[in-house]
Amino acid sequence: MTRTITRRLLAGVLGAGVALTGLSGPAVAGPGDTVVSVGRLVLEPTDRGYVGSLPVTVNYRGHDAAYLNLAVTEPVPGAFDGLDPADPCNFGVPQPARTIYCGVPGGALQPGERRTFTVDFRVLTTTRPYAMVTPGGKVAIETGDRNPANDTAAFSALFRSTTGSLRAPRPYVRDTIADAAVSAGSATMTRQEDGSWFGRVPITVRVAGDAAHDAYWLAPTLPRGVDIGGTEPADVCTAHCMVAGGKFMPGEERTIALLIWAPAEVSPGDLGTGSVQLYGNFGWSGQLPDVDPADNIATFAVTAG
């Protein structure tokens, strides 16, 4: 689910909404309006961050059947993990808070229909022995100009402690700048049956913090005559290659292989030095700034024979 959504990023801007306070609760609606209300989002600690679901109820008061639009503003950037039942979604601009645009699951709503579904979240951060909370979440329903007015409800994310408590939550403060590093080993290319050369560059990526990101990428520069052949495990790889495995937990380390090849006319011996640059991305913000850019570049030797 997460990787599919990551590759379907589309720009969008949320229309003006009504700012509400408090952990959760129903939005106030005028006579005849469509109403959206939300329950409480409690994120439970797991062996891979926190997970939780926000109950959402839409009470449609239009006179004709209608497909309704849903906009979800994340309380934690990068935390959205889909809808249940599932429905296609597109991502809007990522800062200062990312909004995801979907259809209300289940197709067209009939006049007077009340429909409930959940918005799922996963926060990839280290679990703590104390409860935490962060505000800023918002659910908006758009019914269109010919239907009852839009409605908005606010919510916060409440993190349960590893001891099971929700009491006295502290503010959740995530990293806002990435802290990642890359290292690489040398590669010896071997002759293949068709005469060409093939090799693997071992690359290790480590992400220290919990700054929001969709993926980490490698931008290789190879010696003359050597080309990219993909990665192992395989993922998107053209001029730049995605680090397989999806988003990183704080402190997570992964080792992959950058596959390289050269044509048969390349002579055996030292082919030179290559390099690889590591960078993260989140939405349409381009390459993420990093705490120490110097450790985002690694060099490696390439030999044939």
Side-chain angles (χ1 to χ4, degrees):
M1 168 68 75
T2 301
R3 286 178 56 193
T4 301
I5 293 173
T6 298
R7 296 176 185 176
R8 300 183 60 189
L9 297 175
L10 295 176
V13 178
L14 176 65
V18 180
L20 301 180
T21 59
L23 275 178
S24 63
V28 177
D33 289 353
T34 290
V35 177
V36 58
S37 60
V38 298
R40 188 168 67 162
L41 173 59
V42 176
L43 297 169
E44 304 288 347
T46 72
D47 59 357
R48 189 170 176 79
Y50 294 82
V51 297
S53 298
L54 175 74
V56 179
T57 299
V58 177
N59 190 354
Y60 177 56
R61 298 177 177 175
H63 299 294
D64 301 305
Y67 292 90
L68 304 187
N69 298 320
L70 170 71
V72 179
T73 301
E74 298 171 307
V76 179
F80 178 79
D81 202 35
L83 303 178
D84 188 10
D87 201 85
C89 296
N90 299 320
F91 286 6
V93 292
Q95 298 296 342
R98 184 167 63 172
T99 298
I100 295 90
Y101 301 90
C102 318
V104 170
L109 281 82
Q110 301 301 315
E113 182 178 352
R114 180 183 178 90
R115 183 174 297 175
T116 298
F117 56 94
T118 63
V119 183
D120 299 331
F121 294 92
R122 178 181 291 274
V123 180
L124 295 180
T125 192
T126 305
T127 56
R128 273 82 156 182
Y130 51 84
M132 298 184 293
V133 66
T134 184
K138 185 166 59 177
V139 173
I141 297 293
E142 179 183 320
T143 57
D145 293 340
R146 298 180 58 188
N147 292 291
N150 301 348
D151 195 20
T152 304
F155 65 94
S156 295
L158 182 60
F159 298 69
R160 190 183 300 278
S161 74
T162 53
T163 61
S165 175
L166 293 174
R167 294 181 179 179
R170 307 179 192 180
Y172 168 56
V173 181
R174 66 178 181 87
D175 294 332
T176 56
I177 301 179
D179 186 5
V182 63
S183 60
S186 60
T188 299
M189 306 182 74
T190 57
R191 184 82 76 172
Q192 305 300 294
E193 290 185 2
D194 62 0
S196 64
W197 299 91
F198 175 80
R200 292 177 172 84
V201 182
I203 295 176
T204 299
V205 174
R206 186 176 190 278
V207 176
D210 64 357
H213 63 280
D214 287 316
Y216 274 89
W217 295 81
L218 300 169
T221 300
L222 299 176
R224 182 184 296 274
V226 181
D227 291 313
I228 300 171
T231 61
E232 195 175 71
D235 212 306
V236 177
C237 189
T238 52
H240 296 184
C241 301
M242 184 184 292
V243 178
K247 299 178 183 180
F248 280 75
M249 278 286 292
E252 185 176 354
E253 186 174 284
R254 298 178 196 165
T255 297
I256 69 170
L258 177 67
L259 309 182
I260 57 176
W261 73 278
E265 54 266 28
V266 168
S267 301
D270 182 5
L271 301 185
T273 300
S275 66
V276 63
Q277 179 184 0
L278 173 71
Y279 66 91
N281 80 289
F282 182 55
W284 295 94
S285 58
Q287 296 185 15
L288 296 177
D290 193 90
V291 170
D292 183 9
D295 63 12
N296 295 155
I297 298 177
T299 59
F300 52 88
V302 180
T303 303

